[in-house]
Amino acid sequence: PGSPRGASGPRRMTPRARRLLAVGGAVVVLLILGRLLAVLLTARWWAAAISDAAAQAVSEWMLLGWMLELAAIAVAAAWFIAHALWVVRGIASVTLAQRVGEEEIPVAISPRALTLWAVGMGLLLGGMTGTGARSWRAPIALAWQGLRFGRPEPISGADLGTFVAQLPVWEIGYDYFVTLVVLALAMITLLYTITGGIRRQGGQLVVHPHSRYHLGALITLLAIAVGVGAMLHPWLAVAAMQEPLPM
């Protein structure tokens, strides 16, 4: 792959900068945890005014939401980090141009810096993708408990409870999967273009074999997602009907 060039070379982080970064990260984590604790205690105190059972139920409900969000972020972050590291693994070298006087001298970026950069990008995308997963708790809890009306839907023949309890969870899982695949595909396409894994040469588009296999795997997953979406479409179409069909 080619070597991208920038305006200046990489600089090592000083021990003081590392300490400041660590302290800043710790402060951010403490602020987030403090806010979550305040929200939990406030909700518990409000529910305790009704009954101890209500306080317990509210606490479990909030913890379920946080666990879902944490799991969604962790899965997404691991997914994006794995793909970013796979891109880094296929890069022979990446250099930045450091200007010394009137000349530019290529300076190689260390594999450790590339790995940290890949992990950081994966964590960022994982947080963006998984945030808000607490809204899944109601449909997931309903699907976990199960719901049956004992009456079939006339078009599909499935019990009406399937459309109330199971279908929303299927849609959530499908949307989450598609989001992961599409964002990963966009991310690695951009990274391979920057690092030279995908480039134009002699008027033709040249794709490195490592990039080709990686892109092909994600495009295959996207094709599978399209097929699953086609299978879900009739169910979603029935669920979206506002009026019964004419008899």
Side-chain angles (χ1 to χ4, degrees), residues 98-184:
Q98 184 176 12
R99 183 174 293 277
V100 179
E102 297 298 327
E103 298 182 356
E104 288 187 349
I105 301 175
V107 179
I109 301 178
S110 67
R112 181 173 179 270
L114 289 174
T115 300
L116 292 176
W117 175 82
V119 171
M121 173 175 283
L123 289 175
L124 177 62
L125 288 176
M128 294 171 59
T129 304
T131 300
R134 67 171 70 93
S135 61
W136 302 348
R137 56 189 166 183
I140 288 178
L142 183 60
W144 181 266
Q145 293 294 326
L147 179 65
R148 292 188 62 84
F149 288 97
R151 298 187 60 184
E153 190 277 321
I155 297 178
S156 64
D159 188 90
L160 292 176
T162 302
F163 295 89
V164 177
Q166 276 75 40
L167 184 59
V169 176
W170 298 348
E171 190 173 7
I172 287 172
Y174 174 75
D175 291 342
Y176 183 65
F177 177 73
V178 170
T179 301
L180 291 179
V181 173
V182 171
L183 286 181

Side-chain angles (χ1 to χ4, degrees), residues 183-244:
L183 286 181
L185 185 58
M187 178 187 72
I188 69 166
T189 301
L190 176 62
L191 294 180
Y192 281 129
T193 301
I194 292 174
T195 58
I198 302 175
R199 65 186 184 277
R200 292 191 64 84
Q201 182 176 342
Q204 296 181 345
L205 185 65
V206 178
V207 182
H208 190 273
H210 181 90
S211 309
R212 189 183 307 123
Y213 297 145
H214 197 176
L215 289 167
L218 282 177
I219 291 173
T220 300
L221 289 178
L222 184 60
I224 293 173
V226 171
V228 173
M231 295 171 61
L232 281 177
H233 178 72
W235 296 81
L236 296 174
V238 170
M241 288 182 180
Q242 301 297 321
E243 299 179 358

Side-chain angles (χ1 to χ4, degrees), residues 17-38:
R18 292 194 188 97
R19 288 194 295 269
L20 289 176
L21 184 60
V23 171
V27 170
V28 171
V29 171
L30 288 176
L31 288 174
I32 294 175
L33 293 178
R35 181 182 180 277
L36 293 178
L37 181 61

Side-chain angles (χ1 to χ4, degrees), residues 53-73:
Q56 182 67 20
V58 167
S59 300
E60 292 177 355
W61 187 248
M62 296 188 69
L63 289 174
L64 174 61
W66 292 341
M67 289 175 61
L68 282 174
E69 189 150 328
L70 181 61
I73 291 175

Side-chain angles (χ1 to χ4, degrees), residues 43-61:
R44 276 188 63 88
W45 290 335
W46 170 81
I50 302 174
S51 67
D52 292 339
Q56 182 67 20
V58 167
S59 300
E60 292 177 355
W61 187 248

